[in-house]
């Protein structure tokens, strides 16, 4: 079922996973100490654009490749779900600029750490896919599901704290949207894990 190691699809998936990890790491390292929200958003947009170029590579290859290393539907789903992760984190970064949020926030920091751990597991799983180690992909996939559950809990705690402690309704609306978008990004990570599970089932 699988083709040789240097397959363009697997190579591009690895490049996407690398870009996701680079972008999420930049977000995590800078979100608690934003001095220039415009630069922060612009830098995150660069990572998102880089990932879009990888998507274009895969779609171009799909159009000219008759026999693919895994099912075409799975390539499309994996491409889309990987792209969603960086789209999600970039959308969060853009909110910091739009809403001029520069004050650090413990919950945003915790979400960023959670998404970073998800990105590390995504990279591990994608590299295992390239090496055709399908059953080994289960472990990072399970880790991502667990991290998404933790993010659900964090959203509940953060929103509850927000309503208990923030009196300014505008500030409350801004923070709540950022929390929700961060949690949604972990949902996108879970979509990657679910797609990988489908690939494991179809190819083992």
């Amino acid at each position: 079922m699988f083709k040789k190691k240097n397959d363009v699809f697997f190579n591009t998936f690895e490049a996407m996973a690398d870009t996701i990890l680079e972008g999420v790491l930049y977000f995590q390292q800078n979100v608690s100490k934003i001095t220039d929200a415009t630069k922060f958003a612009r830098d995150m947009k660069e990572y998102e654009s880089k990932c879009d170029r990888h998507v274009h590579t895969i779609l171009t290859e799909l159009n000219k490749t008759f026999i693919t290393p895994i099912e075409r539907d799975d390539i499309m789903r994996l491409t889309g779900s990987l792209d969603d992760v960086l789209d999600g984190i970039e959308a969060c970064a853009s909110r910091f600029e739009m809403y001029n949020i520069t004050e650090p926030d413990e919950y945003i920091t915790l979400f960023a750490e959670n998404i970073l751990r998800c990105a590390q597991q995504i990279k591990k799983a994608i590299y295992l896919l390239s090496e055709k180690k399908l059953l080994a992909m289960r472990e990072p996939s399970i880790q991502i599901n667990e991290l998404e559950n933790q993010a659900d809990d964090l959203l509940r705690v953060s929103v509850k704290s927000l309503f208990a402690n923030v009196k300014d309704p505008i500030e409350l609306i801004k923070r709540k949207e950022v929390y929700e978008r961060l949690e949604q990004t972990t949902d996108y990570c879970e979509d990657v894990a679910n797609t990988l599970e489908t690939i494991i089932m179809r190819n083992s």
Side-chain angles (χ1 to χ4, degrees):
M1 192 70 186
F2 278 67
K3 287 169 74 180
K4 58 187 185 297
K5 167 76 174 80
N6 65 350
D7 182 272
V8 66
F9 294 107
F10 293 139
N11 289 348
T12 310
F13 284 143
E14 287 181 0
M16 287 183 85
D18 291 346
T19 305
I20 288 167
L21 185 53
E22 287 164 19
V24 172
L25 184 61
Y26 178 85
F27 184 91
Q28 185 265 337
Q29 289 176 336
N30 291 280
V31 75
S32 61
K33 54 176 195 293
I34 297 173
T35 50
D36 184 344
T38 301
K39 182 184 184 304
F40 180 63
R42 191 171 60 236
D43 289 346
M44 288 304 303
K45 184 68 184 170
E46 279 298 311
Y47 289 111
E48 192 254 345
S49 299
K50 188 176 175 185
C51 202
D52 285 345
R53 290 194 288 275
H54 295 319
V55 172
H56 179 71
T57 299
I58 287 178
L59 296 180
T60 303
E61 282 300 316
L62 267 182
N63 282 331
K64 63 185 187 187
T65 306
F66 183 63
I67 298 171
T68 54
I70 54 177
E71 294 205 17
R72 300 177 86 86
D73 283 356
D74 291 337
I75 290 174
M76 287 295 296
R77 278 188 64 199
L78 186 55
T79 304
S81 57
L82 287 167
D83 188 43
D84 285 345
V85 175
L86 255 183
D87 284 348
I89 201 82
E90 187 274 326
C92 294
S94 72
R95 293 311 181 276
F96 286 87
E97 180 186 22
M98 283 196 292
Y99 301 154
N100 193 28
I101 298 173
T102 52
E103 286 297 309
D105 172 323
E106 63 173 315
Y107 295 112
I108 290 170
T109 302
L110 288 169
F111 274 118
E113 288 167 359
N114 178 291
I115 296 166
L116 177 59
R117 286 196 287 274
C118 285
Q120 289 164 340
Q121 295 300 325
I122 286 172
K123 177 169 176 172
K124 187 191 286 187
I126 294 296
Y127 274 74
L128 287 168
L129 176 64
S130 287
E131 292 163 16
K132 311 178 187 80
K133 295 179 179 172
L134 292 182
L135 294 178
M137 282 159 53
R138 280 244 154 82
E139 193 263 329
S141 187
I142 289 165
Q143 291 290 330
I144 293 166
N145 284 312
E146 178 56 37
L147 286 161
E148 194 278 329
N149 288 337
Q150 291 172 17
D152 283 346
D153 293 340
L154 184 56
L155 181 63
R156 280 191 288 274
V157 172
S158 61
V159 171
K160 184 178 178 183
S161 169
L162 201 57
F163 278 90
N165 299 304
V166 176
K167 300 300 174 236
D168 178 356
I170 303 296
E171 188 63 25
L172 191 148
I173 290 166
K174 292 194 295 190
R175 297 271 167 180
K176 183 169 177 287
E177 189 191 341
V178 170
Y179 295 162
E180 287 169 346
R181 282 188 175 272
L182 287 163
E183 192 280 327
Q184 187 178 41
T185 303
T186 69
D187 291 342
Y188 295 143
C189 295
E190 189 175 43
D191 290 343
V192 174
N194 293 339
T195 303
L196 292 171
E197 280 290 335
T198 303
I199 293 169
I200 294 167
M201 285 190 298
R202 284 187 180 173
N203 296 283
S204 348

